[in-house]
Amino acid sequence: MRLFVLTYLLAGCLAQKPHPCEYPALMSGALTVSTQNEKLWMYAKYLYDAMGQRIRLMEIGNYENKTFTYDVLMLFREAVMYEINDHDRTCKKSPFKFDFQPTGIPKDATLLGQAVVGSSSGPGQGLLVNTWTGELPEKAGKYISTVTEFGCIPVSFSYKTDQYGWKVLSYFNNVIGIEDPSHLNPPDFCQDAEMNSEEEPADFLSVFHKMH
């Protein structure tokens, strides 16, 4: 009982006032995406570089019982997006229009609550997390986001779409840092890819919705 009380009081003292936060500037890991209507399931590795304003998603999944792969590199400073096919060594280069915003919990988010994932029965048996809600950019709907109290590491992110209902992203194997930064540069076979200047620029949300 004493250990339980000590753990509870320690958690309370360390996290009395949860506050909005930004993810670590360099981060890599994996995530899964599932949907309310069960049409889509996806597993992806991700690389996130807030300093260089670069994001890469390497995905494999199932959409309406059909398997797909999707590998996209978003370079915000260059306003360019690459869809990469390593197997065929081909690359599609497209205009990309979106002002980079460090990912995390926005300052206008509302705290829903704080909880322990796992167990609060003893030290090291649980993970303290905060759950927030707010509005997506351009009034695209509401989101619910859960991050760790210490480090602001993503745990889950949910938002509602017309096509799927609720779309849920669950993060795991998160690592602060990027083991191989070269994966955030276009492969050699992308160097000669030409961009259609008349193509309508993609934005970040449209890319996220295209994750099937």
Side-chain angles (χ1 to χ4, degrees), residues 34-48:
S34 57
T35 60
Q36 184 179 8
N37 63 9
E38 300 182 348
K39 288 185 177 181
L40 170 68
W41 184 90
M42 188 194 76
Y43 165 86
K45 293 182 179 180
Y46 74 87
L47 302 172
Y48 171 76

mmCIF file with all atom_site columns, all heavy atoms in Angstrom, residues 34-48:
data_model
loop_
_atom_site.group_PDB
_atom_site.id
_atom_site.type_symbol
_atom_site.label_atom_id
_atom_site.label_alt_id
_atom_site.label_comp_id
_atom_site.label_asym_id
_atom_site.label_entity_id
_atom_site.label_seq_id
_atom_site.pdbx_PDB_ins_code
_atom_site.Cartn_x
_atom_site.Cartn_y
_atom_site.Cartn_z
_atom_site.occupancy
_atom_site.B_iso_or_equiv
_atom_site.pdbx_formal_charge
_atom_site.auth_seq_id
_atom_site.auth_comp_id
_atom_site.auth_asym_id
_atom_site.auth_atom_id
_atom_site.pdbx_PDB_model_num
ATOM 1   N N   . SER A 1 34 ? -5.785  2.445  -38.511 1.00 0.00 ? 34 SER A N   1
ATOM 2   C CA  . SER A 1 34 ? -7.006  1.661  -38.663 1.00 0.00 ? 34 SER A CA  1
ATOM 3   C C   . SER A 1 34 ? -8.186  2.613  -38.745 1.00 0.00 ? 34 SER A C   1
ATOM 4   O O   . SER A 1 34 ? -8.090  3.771  -38.322 1.00 0.00 ? 34 SER A O   1
ATOM 5   C CB  . SER A 1 34 ? -7.186  0.684  -37.503 1.00 0.00 ? 34 SER A CB  1
ATOM 6   O OG  . SER A 1 34 ? -7.202  1.377  -36.264 1.00 0.00 ? 34 SER A OG  1
ATOM 7   N N   . THR A 1 35 ? -9.291  2.138  -39.311 1.00 0.00 ? 35 THR A N   1
ATOM 8   C CA  . THR A 1 35 ? -10.447 3.005  -39.511 1.00 0.00 ? 35 THR A CA  1
ATOM 9   C C   . THR A 1 35 ? -11.706 2.397  -38.915 1.00 0.00 ? 35 THR A C   1
ATOM 10  O O   . THR A 1 35 ? -11.828 1.179  -38.765 1.00 0.00 ? 35 THR A O   1
ATOM 11  C CB  . THR A 1 35 ? -10.686 3.274  -41.008 1.00 0.00 ? 35 THR A CB  1
ATOM 12  O OG1 . THR A 1 35 ? -10.932 2.040  -41.676 1.00 0.00 ? 35 THR A OG1 1
ATOM 13  C CG2 . THR A 1 35 ? -9.478  3.953  -41.622 1.00 0.00 ? 35 THR A CG2 1
ATOM 14  N N   . GLN A 1 36 ? -12.654 3.274  -38.608 1.00 0.00 ? 36 GLN A N   1
ATOM 15  C CA  . GLN A 1 36 ? -13.905 2.865  -37.971 1.00 0.00 ? 36 GLN A CA  1
ATOM 16  C C   . GLN A 1 36 ? -14.706 1.915  -38.857 1.00 0.00 ? 36 GLN A C   1
ATOM 17  O O   . GLN A 1 36 ? -15.298 0.959  -38.372 1.00 0.00 ? 36 GLN A O   1
ATOM 18  C CB  . GLN A 1 36 ? -14.728 4.114  -37.643 1.00 0.00 ? 36 GLN A CB  1
ATOM 19  C CG  . GLN A 1 36 ? -16.018 3.845  -36.891 1.00 0.00 ? 36 GLN A CG  1
ATOM 20  C CD  . GLN A 1 36 ? -16.771 5.130  -36.577 1.00 0.00 ? 36 GLN A CD  1
ATOM 21  O OE1 . GLN A 1 36 ? -16.404 6.204  -37.041 1.00 0.00 ? 36 GLN A OE1 1
ATOM 22  N NE2 . GLN A 1 36 ? -17.812 5.023  -35.798 1.00 0.00 ? 36 GLN A NE2 1
ATOM 23  N N   . ASN A 1 37 ? -14.695 2.151  -40.187 1.00 0.00 ? 37 ASN A N   1
ATOM 24  C CA  . ASN A 1 37 ? -15.489 1.301  -41.075 1.00 0.00 ? 37 ASN A CA  1
ATOM 25  C C   . ASN A 1 37 ? -14.733 0.065  -41.549 1.00 0.00 ? 37 ASN A C   1
ATOM 26  O O   . ASN A 1 37 ? -15.226 -0.700 -42.375 1.00 0.00 ? 37 ASN A O   1
ATOM 27  C CB  . ASN A 1 37 ? -15.997 2.095  -42.281 1.00 0.00 ? 37 ASN A CB  1
ATOM 28  C CG  . ASN A 1 37 ? -14.864 2.626  -43.148 1.00 0.00 ? 37 ASN A CG  1
ATOM 29  O OD1 . ASN A 1 37 ? -13.682 2.281  -42.959 1.00 0.00 ? 37 ASN A OD1 1
ATOM 30  N ND2 . ASN A 1 37 ? -15.195 3.469  -44.108 1.00 0.00 ? 37 ASN A ND2 1
ATOM 31  N N   . GLU A 1 38 ? -13.496 -0.125 -41.037 1.00 0.00 ? 38 GLU A N   1
ATOM 32  C CA  . GLU A 1 38 ? -12.686 -1.323 -41.293 1.00 0.00 ? 38 GLU A CA  1
ATOM 33  C C   . GLU A 1 38 ? -12.296 -1.498 -42.760 1.00 0.00 ? 38 GLU A C   1
ATOM 34  O O   . GLU A 1 38 ? -11.923 -2.591 -43.183 1.00 0.00 ? 38 GLU A O   1
ATOM 35  C CB  . GLU A 1 38 ? -13.404 -2.585 -40.784 1.00 0.00 ? 38 GLU A CB  1
ATOM 36  C CG  . GLU A 1 38 ? -13.690 -2.547 -39.281 1.00 0.00 ? 38 GLU A CG  1
ATOM 37  C CD  . GLU A 1 38 ? -14.345 -3.815 -38.778 1.00 0.00 ? 38 GLU A CD  1
ATOM 38  O OE1 . GLU A 1 38 ? -14.786 -4.639 -39.613 1.00 0.00 ? 38 GLU A OE1 1
ATOM 39  O OE2 . GLU A 1 38 ? -14.413 -3.988 -37.547 1.00 0.00 ? 38 GLU A OE2 1
ATOM 40  N N   . LYS A 1 39 ? -12.344 -0.426 -43.550 1.00 0.00 ? 39 LYS A N   1
ATOM 41  C CA  . LYS A 1 39 ? -11.927 -0.528 -44.956 1.00 0.00 ? 39 LYS A CA  1
ATOM 42  C C   . LYS A 1 39 ? -10.410 -0.441 -45.113 1.00 0.00 ? 39 LYS A C   1
ATOM 43  O O   . LYS A 1 39 ? -9.861  -0.893 -46.122 1.00 0.00 ? 39 LYS A O   1
ATOM 44  C CB  . LYS A 1 39 ? -12.587 0.584  -45.785 1.00 0.00 ? 39 LYS A CB  1
ATOM 45  C CG  . LYS A 1 39 ? -14.069 0.392  -46.023 1.00 0.00 ? 39 LYS A CG  1
ATOM 46  C CD  . LYS A 1 39 ? -14.602 1.471  -46.954 1.00 0.00 ? 39 LYS A CD  1
ATOM 47  C CE  . LYS A 1 39 ? -16.075 1.254  -47.267 1.00 0.00 ? 39 LYS A CE  1
ATOM 48  N NZ  . LYS A 1 39 ? -16.584 2.305  -48.209 1.00 0.00 ? 39 LYS A NZ  1
ATOM 49  N N   . LEU A 1 40 ? -9.743  0.162  -44.140 1.00 0.00 ? 40 LEU A N   1
ATOM 50  C CA  . LEU A 1 40 ? -8.314  0.419  -44.276 1.00 0.00 ? 40 LEU A CA  1
ATOM 51  C C   . LEU A 1 40 ? -7.572  -0.050 -43.035 1.00 0.00 ? 40 LEU A C   1
ATOM 52  O O   . LEU A 1 40 ? -7.998  0.173  -41.903 1.00 0.00 ? 40 LEU A O   1
ATOM 53  C CB  . LEU A 1 40 ? -8.070  1.925  -44.464 1.00 0.00 ? 40 LEU A CB  1
ATOM 54  C CG  . LEU A 1 40 ? -6.616  2.412  -44.397 1.00 0.00 ? 40 LEU A CG  1
ATOM 55  C CD1 . LEU A 1 40 ? -5.823  1.905  -45.589 1.00 0.00 ? 40 LEU A CD1 1
ATOM 56  C CD2 . LEU A 1 40 ? -6.567  3.945  -44.347 1.00 0.00 ? 40 LEU A CD2 1
ATOM 57  N N   . TRP A 1 41 ? -6.418  -0.713 -43.283 1.00 0.00 ? 41 TRP A N   1
ATOM 58  C CA  . TRP A 1 41 ? -5.454  -0.996 -42.228 1.00 0.00 ? 41 TRP A CA  1
ATOM 59  C C   . TRP A 1 41 ? -4.082  -0.781 -42.813 1.00 0.00 ? 41 TRP A C   1
ATOM 60  O O   . TRP A 1 41 ? -3.814  -1.165 -43.960 1.00 0.00 ? 41 TRP A O   1
ATOM 61  C CB  . TRP A 1 41 ? -5.584  -2.420 -41.707 1.00 0.00 ? 41 TRP A CB  1
ATOM 62  C CG  . TRP A 1 41 ? -4.632  -2.656 -40.554 1.00 0.00 ? 41 TRP A CG  1
ATOM 63  C CD1 . TRP A 1 41 ? -4.887  -2.450 -39.230 1.00 0.00 ? 41 TRP A CD1 1
ATOM 64  C CD2 . TRP A 1 41 ? -3.268  -3.088 -40.637 1.00 0.00 ? 41 TRP A CD2 1
ATOM 65  N NE1 . TRP A 1 41 ? -3.773  -2.729 -38.478 1.00 0.00 ? 41 TRP A NE1 1
ATOM 66  C CE2 . TRP A 1 41 ? -2.761  -3.133 -39.318 1.00 0.00 ? 41 TRP A CE2 1
ATOM 67  C CE3 . TRP A 1 41 ? -2.437  -3.443 -41.685 1.00 0.00 ? 41 TRP A CE3 1
ATOM 68  C CZ2 . TRP A 1 41 ? -1.451  -3.509 -39.030 1.00 0.00 ? 41 TRP A CZ2 1
ATOM 69  C CZ3 . TRP A 1 41 ? -1.131  -3.819 -41.409 1.00 0.00 ? 41 TRP A CZ3 1
ATOM 70  C CH2 . TRP A 1 41 ? -0.653  -3.864 -40.088 1.00 0.00 ? 41 TRP A CH2 1
ATOM 71  N N   . MET A 1 42 ? -3.185  -0.189 -42.052 1.00 0.00 ? 42 MET A N   1
ATOM 72  C CA  . MET A 1 42 ? -1.877  0.152  -42.593 1.00 0.00 ? 42 MET A CA  1
ATOM 73  C C   . MET A 1 42 ? -0.809  0.118  -41.510 1.00 0.00 ? 42 MET A C   1
ATOM 74  O O   . MET A 1 42 ? -1.066  0.462  -40.352 1.00 0.00 ? 42 MET A O   1
ATOM 75  C CB  . MET A 1 42 ? -1.918  1.544  -43.219 1.00 0.00 ? 42 MET A CB  1
ATOM 76  C CG  . MET A 1 42 ? -0.674  1.946  -43.974 1.00 0.00 ? 42 MET A CG  1
ATOM 77  S SD  . MET A 1 42 ? -0.692  3.715  -44.304 1.00 0.00 ? 42 MET A SD  1
ATOM 78  C CE  . MET A 1 42 ? -0.257  4.348  -42.691 1.00 0.00 ? 42 MET A CE  1
ATOM 79  N N   . TYR A 1 43 ? 0.387   -0.323 -41.911 1.00 0.00 ? 43 TYR A N   1
ATOM 80  C CA  . TYR A 1 43 ? 1.573   -0.251 -41.066 1.00 0.00 ? 43 TYR A CA  1
ATOM 81  C C   . TYR A 1 43 ? 2.585   0.626  -41.796 1.00 0.00 ? 43 TYR A C   1
ATOM 82  O O   . TYR A 1 43 ? 2.761   0.491  -43.010 1.00 0.00 ? 43 TYR A O   1
ATOM 83  C CB  . TYR A 1 43 ? 2.151   -1.647 -40.837 1.00 0.00 ? 43 TYR A CB  1
ATOM 84  C CG  . TYR A 1 43 ? 3.560   -1.640 -40.278 1.00 0.00 ? 43 TYR A CG  1
ATOM 85  C CD1 . TYR A 1 43 ? 3.786   -1.555 -38.904 1.00 0.00 ? 43 TYR A CD1 1
ATOM 86  C CD2 . TYR A 1 43 ? 4.664   -1.716 -41.124 1.00 0.00 ? 43 TYR A CD2 1
ATOM 87  C CE1 . TYR A 1 43 ? 5.073   -1.539 -38.390 1.00 0.00 ? 43 TYR A CE1 1
ATOM 88  C CE2 . TYR A 1 43 ? 5.960   -1.704 -40.621 1.00 0.00 ? 43 TYR A CE2 1
ATOM 89  C CZ  . TYR A 1 43 ? 6.151   -1.614 -39.254 1.00 0.00 ? 43 TYR A CZ  1
ATOM 90  O OH  . TYR A 1 43 ? 7.431   -1.601 -38.762 1.00 0.00 ? 43 TYR A OH  1
ATOM 91  N N   . ALA A 1 44 ? 3.250   1.509  -41.061 1.00 0.00 ? 44 ALA A N   1
ATOM 92  C CA  . ALA A 1 44 ? 4.215   2.402  -41.705 1.00 0.00 ? 44 ALA A CA  1
ATOM 93  C C   . ALA A 1 44 ? 5.397   2.663  -40.787 1.00 0.00 ? 44 ALA A C   1
ATOM 94  O O   . ALA A 1 44 ? 5.256   2.726  -39.565 1.00 0.00 ? 44 ALA A O   1
ATOM 95  C CB  . ALA A 1 44 ? 3.552   3.727  -42.076 1.00 0.00 ? 44 ALA A CB  1
ATOM 96  N N   . LYS A 1 45 ? 6.559   2.817  -41.395 1.00 0.00 ? 45 LYS A N   1
ATOM 97  C CA  . LYS A 1 45 ? 7.714   3.373  -40.712 1.00 0.00 ? 45 LYS A CA  1
ATOM 98  C C   . LYS A 1 45 ? 7.749   4.867  -41.039 1.00 0.00 ? 45 LYS A C   1
ATOM 99  O O   . LYS A 1 45 ? 7.401   5.258  -42.156 1.00 0.00 ? 45 LYS A O   1
ATOM 100 C CB  . LYS A 1 45 ? 9.001   2.696  -41.171 1.00 0.00 ? 45 LYS A CB  1
ATOM 101 C CG  . LYS A 1 45 ? 9.106   1.235  -40.754 1.00 0.00 ? 45 LYS A CG  1
ATOM 102 C CD  . LYS A 1 45 ? 10.424  0.636  -41.208 1.00 0.00 ? 45 LYS A CD  1
ATOM 103 C CE  . LYS A 1 45 ? 10.546  -0.812 -40.767 1.00 0.00 ? 45 LYS A CE  1
ATOM 104 N NZ  . LYS A 1 45 ? 11.838  -1.412 -41.215 1.00 0.00 ? 45 LYS A NZ  1
ATOM 105 N N   . TYR A 1 46 ? 8.154   5.668  -40.078 1.00 0.00 ? 46 TYR A N   1
ATOM 106 C CA  . TYR A 1 46 ? 8.186   7.104  -40.332 1.00 0.00 ? 46 TYR A CA  1
ATOM 107 C C   . TYR A 1 46 ? 9.530   7.693  -39.899 1.00 0.00 ? 46 TYR A C   1
ATOM 108 O O   . TYR A 1 46 ? 10.194  7.191  -38.989 1.00 0.00 ? 46 TYR A O   1
ATOM 109 C CB  . TYR A 1 46 ? 7.039   7.823  -39.608 1.00 0.00 ? 46 TYR A CB  1
ATOM 110 C CG  . TYR A 1 46 ? 7.236   7.962  -38.118 1.00 0.00 ? 46 TYR A CG  1
ATOM 111 C CD1 . TYR A 1 46 ? 7.939   9.045  -37.584 1.00 0.00 ? 46 TYR A CD1 1
ATOM 112 C CD2 . TYR A 1 46 ? 6.740   7.011  -37.233 1.00 0.00 ? 46 TYR A CD2 1
ATOM 113 C CE1 . TYR A 1 46 ? 8.131   9.176  -36.223 1.00 0.00 ? 46 TYR A CE1 1
ATOM 114 C CE2 . TYR A 1 46 ? 6.933   7.132  -35.868 1.00 0.00 ? 46 TYR A CE2 1
ATOM 115 C CZ  . TYR A 1 46 ? 7.631   8.213  -35.369 1.00 0.00 ? 46 TYR A CZ  1
ATOM 116 O OH  . TYR A 1 46 ? 7.831   8.334  -34.013 1.00 0.00 ? 46 TYR A OH  1
ATOM 117 N N   . LEU A 1 47 ? 9.903   8.780  -40.581 1.00 0.00 ? 47 LEU A N   1
ATOM 118 C CA  . LEU A 1 47 ? 11.071  9.584  -40.220 1.00 0.00 ? 47 LEU A CA  1
ATOM 119 C C   . LEU A 1 47 ? 10.591  11.029 -40.137 1.00 0.00 ? 47 LEU A C   1
ATOM 120 O O   . LEU A 1 47 ? 9.942   11.521 -41.062 1.00 0.00 ? 47 LEU A O   1
ATOM 121 C CB  . LEU A 1 47 ? 12.178  9.463  -41.275 1.00 0.00 ? 47 LEU A CB  1
ATOM 122 C CG  . LEU A 1 47 ? 12.709  8.050  -41.553 1.00 0.00 ? 47 LEU A CG  1
ATOM 123 C CD1 . LEU A 1 47 ? 13.652  8.078  -42.746 1.00 0.00 ? 47 LEU A CD1 1
ATOM 124 C CD2 . LEU A 1 47 ? 13.427  7.498  -40.337 1.00 0.00 ? 47 LEU A CD2 1
ATOM 125 N N   . TYR A 1 48 ? 10.909  11.700 -39.045 1.00 0.00 ? 48 TYR A N   1
ATOM 126 C CA  . TYR A 1 48 ? 10.410  13.060 -38.810 1.00 0.00 ? 48 TYR A CA  1
ATOM 127 C C   . TYR A 1 48 ? 11.585  13.966 -38.456 1.00 0.00 ? 48 TYR A C   1
ATOM 128 O O   . TYR A 1 48 ? 12.302  13.729 -37.480 1.00 0.00 ? 48 TYR A O   1
ATOM 129 C CB  . TYR A 1 48 ? 9.384   13.034 -37.668 1.00 0.00 ? 48 TYR A CB  1
ATOM 130 C CG  . TYR A 1 48 ? 8.939   14.388 -37.178 1.00 0.00 ? 48 TYR A CG  1
ATOM 131 C CD1 . TYR A 1 48 ? 8.045   15.152 -37.921 1.00 0.00 ? 48 TYR A CD1 1
ATOM 132 C CD2 . TYR A 1 48 ? 9.388   14.901 -35.956 1.00 0.00 ? 48 TYR A CD2 1
ATOM 133 C CE1 . TYR A 1 48 ? 7.626   16.398 -37.459 1.00 0.00 ? 48 TYR A CE1 1
ATOM 134 C CE2 . TYR A 1 48 ? 8.973   16.135 -35.488 1.00 0.00 ? 48 TYR A CE2 1
ATOM 135 C CZ  . TYR A 1 48 ? 8.087   16.879 -36.246 1.00 0.00 ? 48 TYR A CZ  1
ATOM 136 O OH  . TYR A 1 48 ? 7.674   18.109 -35.796 1.00 0.00 ? 48 TYR A OH  1
#
